[in-house]
Amino acid sequence: MAEQVEEPSVRPSDPWRGPKFLTTKRNGSHTWQVIAGSATLGLAVAAGAVLAAGPWDNGQRKAERALAAAADRTGGAHHGRTTPEGPRPAPSAPAVLPALTAGKAAQDPAGLRAALTPLVDAPGLGKKLAASVVDTATGEQLYGHGATTPMTPASTIKIATTTAALSVLGPDHRIATTAALSSDSRTLTLVGGGDPTLAKADLRAMADEVADALREDGGGSEDGGDGEDPAGPVRLTYDVSRYSGPELHPISPNENIAPVTALMIDEGRLDGSDRGPAARTDDPAGDAARAFAEALEKAGVQVTGAPREARAADKARTVATHRSAPLSALAERTLTNSDNDIAEALARQTAIAKGEKASFAGARRAVTNELKKLQLPVGGAHFADGSGLDRKDRVTPALLTALLARAADPDRPGLRPVLTGLPIAGFSGTLDSRYERDAAGTGLVRAKTGTLQGVNSLAGTVVDRQGRLLAFAFLASGSASAAGAEPALDALATALAGV
């Protein structure tokens, strides 16, 4: 029986559809359309959603800032493109919103206990629940229920993975895929850097660069067509040595993750999707190399023989480079869509930067050490992987809330994508369809979900009625089904918005 894991919905308005990394704005438009389409929520939710998005000017998604600025200029929010059948523009929220903690009283722990205690024993949560709620401004734990108990986190472990990667590498880091040409110009090597989002279009652009370099080297002949001399011939090899250790995740083969290799295209997906379970290739590096060979031929480069695995020669020079989207965007995509392949890639990038081997074991050591460096409570934590698919993973609710509070720290703007990437209740990612439009938590709860068979978790942020940003983590185990556990978790998060 296949492992039960996250199954995000795929909708045309979701943020990662269409041209790669260029459609975040569509998420913002979808967000405001949902608000506009719900007359019962009105301005209260509109303002709440802006507050929940966070006032962190350096960390808020550019598309969200642009949307807010556009609404302010026009005097009314333009909730996406106007169509005859679409919603009418709704009135804008106030142009100026106070800072979250400006003049606001701290939350009363007794009030939190009163709100949460009746909910923690919900039958749908299963045999065991551990919880933590903290005020992100002060770091004070306002509520704890087994807060230091190590639990299987499922995909909420991605909060730790992305925090460690952003801390080590910075939000502007990009993963490079290169093509290296031997000194005699006869062997070309596609060198994987560990970017799982590499696409065929990227390989075509690299092939054009290679063709130009070969022609500059005088590799063309006199019988080329279309006004351009063909280049080559070259032998094509591919280098995946940047990663080490086993490629297969312990749950593999599985439709939730491809073999973890330094070279792949489209996360090894075979169905054209960009999230959720999908049929995966068992040879992602070979597939990428063969796609590159085709792109080279179309660019006018003659390739002899079939691609084979080999390291680039020591004296080979780089003739083409593709760089991934910034790490900030990759981290957001990881969290919004619960992307297992990117999560494992970020864990390995962290390992490389920390001087560890780029393997499951090396990533575990690197993430653990970086979180220790951030002075986070890692006692009892075990990072068997970066995605949360491994049942050997352990974190405490206290660690998850400490991670979220650290990401909200004004002195650490580089960690802000950990918050801006969280799915928004009823709006985006894995929370898109979990909250009804008129539900109390819609637009206010931002949280990473976690789902394995018998394991359900939710960790994120919410703004309480005092205007304080609270971080929460609820980890449940022994549940009979996700259908029973998820509403109970959502009720806990929603209760925080009302206290």
Side-chain angles (χ1 to χ4, degrees):
M1 181 175 178
E3 182 73 77
Q4 178 187 0
V5 296
E6 309 282 1
E7 294 187 6
S9 58
V10 178
R11 298 174 52 169
S13 56
D14 278 349
W16 303 110
R17 300 289 288 180
K20 191 163 60 170
F21 306 114
L22 298 180
T23 56
T24 306
K25 185 173 182 179
R26 296 172 64 185
N27 180 52
S29 299
H30 171 50
T31 296
W32 289 105
Q33 282 179 330
V34 172
I35 295 176
S38 179
T40 57
L41 289 177
L43 289 177
V45 172
V50 174
L51 278 170
W56 318 283
D57 194 48
N58 288 333
Q60 194 175 5
R61 285 180 176 173
K62 292 182 180 179
E64 293 176 4
R65 294 202 301 269
L67 184 62
D72 185 45
R73 288 195 301 270
T74 60
H78 171 69
H79 311 292
R81 292 184 297 175
T82 301
T83 60
E85 69 277 6
R88 292 176 177 272
S92 295
V96 178
L97 294 171
L100 285 174
T101 57
K104 303 295 183 180
Q107 179 60 250
D108 177 16
L112 274 180
R113 287 195 300 272
L116 298 180
T117 297
L119 302 175
V120 297
D121 293 325
L125 294 173
K127 299 177 181 178
K128 187 176 183 180
L129 176 77
S132 173
V133 180
V134 304
D135 185 322
T136 62
T138 64
E140 178 188 0
Q141 181 172 286
L142 304 174
Y143 177 83
H145 181 84
T148 58
T149 303
M151 301 275 286
T152 302
S155 281
T156 56
I157 204 171
K158 292 182 174 75
I159 295 172
T161 302
T162 52
T163 299
L166 288 163
S167 178
V168 173
L169 297 162
D172 298 326
H173 177 77
R174 296 172 185 260
I175 304 171
T177 303
T178 61
L181 188 64
S182 61
S183 56
D184 62 4
S185 298
R186 293 181 179 179
T187 301
L188 180 70
T189 305
L190 181 62
V191 183
D195 175 14
T197 67
L198 186 70
K200 287 185 177 180
D202 304 324
L203 294 178
R204 288 194 292 269
M206 291 180 66
D208 289 339
E209 291 184 56
V210 171
D212 290 341
L214 285 170
R215 292 188 181 102
E216 289 177 5
D217 285 350
S221 65
E222 299 299 326
D223 58 353
D226 299 327
E228 292 187 4
D229 294 338
V234 295
R235 295 181 298 271
L236 179 61
T237 62
Y238 57 96
D239 186 345
V240 294
S241 62
R242 190 167 177 81
Y243 285 3
S244 61
E247 290 185 354
L248 293 181
H249 189 280
I251 71 167
S252 295
N254 190 281
E255 290 189 342
N256 291 284
I257 189 169
V260 184
T261 169
L263 178 63
M264 64 171 67
I265 51 175
D266 300 326
E267 301 183 350
R269 296 172 179 270
L270 299 176
D271 63 357
S273 65
D274 65 356
R275 75 200 70 190
R280 307 299 183 107
T281 176
D282 59 2
D283 184 19
D287 286 354
R290 286 183 284 274
F292 191 45
E294 292 179 7
L296 289 168
E297 293 282 0
K298 290 180 179 179
V301 178
Q302 297 177 353
V303 180
T304 60
R308 61 182 181 84
E309 183 179 344
R311 291 197 179 195
D314 291 338
K315 295 183 179 180
R317 61 188 176 93
T318 299
V319 292
T321 301
H322 170 76
R323 298 187 184 279
S324 71
L327 188 62
S328 57
L330 296 180
E332 286 183 338
R333 180 173 171 180
T334 300
L335 295 165
T336 300
N337 293 338
S338 199
D339 195 301
N340 299 313
D341 300 281
I342 300 178
E344 296 300 347
L346 295 186
R348 278 160 176 70
Q349 296 298 315
T350 301
I352 293 168
K354 296 284 284 184
E356 298 281 357
K357 290 184 178 180
S359 62
F360 286 106
R364 179 182 70 246
R365 291 189 294 270
V367 170
T368 302
N369 289 335
E370 185 60 22
L371 298 188
K372 285 181 179 179
K373 183 179 177 181
L374 290 172
Q375 298 182 325
L376 293 165
V378 296
H382 179 72
F383 302 103
D385 65 4
S387 60
L389 292 173
D390 197 321
R391 288 180 174 274
K392 294 180 181 177
D393 288 322
R394 294 289 185 275
V395 302
T396 65
L399 173 58
L400 290 175
T401 50
L403 284 160
L404 293 163
R406 192 57 51 88
D409 186 345
D411 293 332
R412 295 185 181 274
L415 299 182
R416 211 68 76 241
V418 174
L419 300 187
T420 58
L422 294 173
I424 305 173
F427 284 46
S428 64
T430 55
L431 285 182
D432 185 21
S433 59
R434 268 178 58 166
Y435 285 69
E436 298 296 331
R437 290 189 177 185
D438 59 351
T442 297
L444 301 179
V445 174
R446 283 194 169 205
K448 181 70 200 76
T449 56
T451 308
L452 294 171
Q453 189 70 41
V455 174
N456 300 93
S457 55
L458 192 67
T461 64
V462 67
V463 178
D464 68 11
R465 297 180 70 176
Q466 284 73 39
R468 309 285 292 197
L469 182 67
L470 306 182
F472 64 85
F474 303 115
L475 305 181
S477 66
S479 58
S481 69
E486 289 174 356
L489 291 171
D490 295 342
L492 285 164
T494 298
L496 296 176
V499 294

